[in-house]
């Protein structure tokens, strides 16, 4: 636990948008391919990778106050796999508007990352 706290403390919060965009740039095309292939198994690994990414930045279990300026990035990272699953297997539990909110958050996160 202490090692994870120290790892998060050593990262520069200003690097978070760029790291988030890099993560999403890798994951989103893979998600699209999984949806096209109707590959549900992709999403188990996607969730594990998302948890690892969020733990690395310290926003999985407790909020990292240093990332408060980048809610669009944390939301995009946390929502992308859910949106993919909802696209693959639509259900009543899938929140209407989540996909468009993801798109807007990814766009805003990319805009912030470019400015850093």
């Amino acid at each position: 636990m202490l090692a994870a706290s120290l790892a998060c403390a050593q990262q520069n919060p200003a690097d978070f948008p760029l790291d988030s965009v890099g993560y999403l740039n890798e994951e989103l095309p893979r998600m699209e391919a999984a949806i096209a292939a109707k590959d549900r198994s992709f999403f188990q690994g996607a969730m594990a990778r998302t948890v690892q990414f969020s733990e690395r930045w310290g926003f999985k279990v407790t909020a990292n106050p240093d990332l408060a300026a980048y809610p669009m990035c944390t939301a995009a990272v946390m929502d992308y796999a859910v949106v993919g699953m909802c696209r693959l297997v639509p259900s009543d539990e899938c929140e209407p508007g989540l996909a468009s909110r993801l798109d807007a958050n990814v766009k805003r996160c990319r805009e912030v990352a470019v400015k850093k």
Side-chain angles (χ1 to χ4, degrees), residues 43-115:
F43 293 97
Q44 184 174 7
M47 289 305 297
R49 289 186 300 277
T50 299
V51 168
Q52 288 173 341
F53 181 86
S54 66
E55 285 175 340
R56 188 169 74 234
W57 280 98
F59 70 94
K60 177 182 171 267
V61 176
T62 57
N64 179 342
D66 294 332
L67 303 182
Y70 312 111
M72 69 293 288
C73 297
T74 55
V77 167
M78 297 309 291
D79 289 346
Y80 101 90
V82 174
V83 168
M85 275 301 299
C86 284
R87 286 182 49 212
L88 182 64
V89 185
S91 72
D92 292 339
E93 289 82 32
C94 294
E95 181 184 328
L98 185 60
S100 60
R101 191 168 63 231
L102 170 66
D103 291 342
N105 282 329
V106 169
K107 182 177 184 252
R108 289 182 15 228
C109 187
R110 286 180 174 149
E111 289 168 356
V112 170
V114 168
K115 294 176 184 177

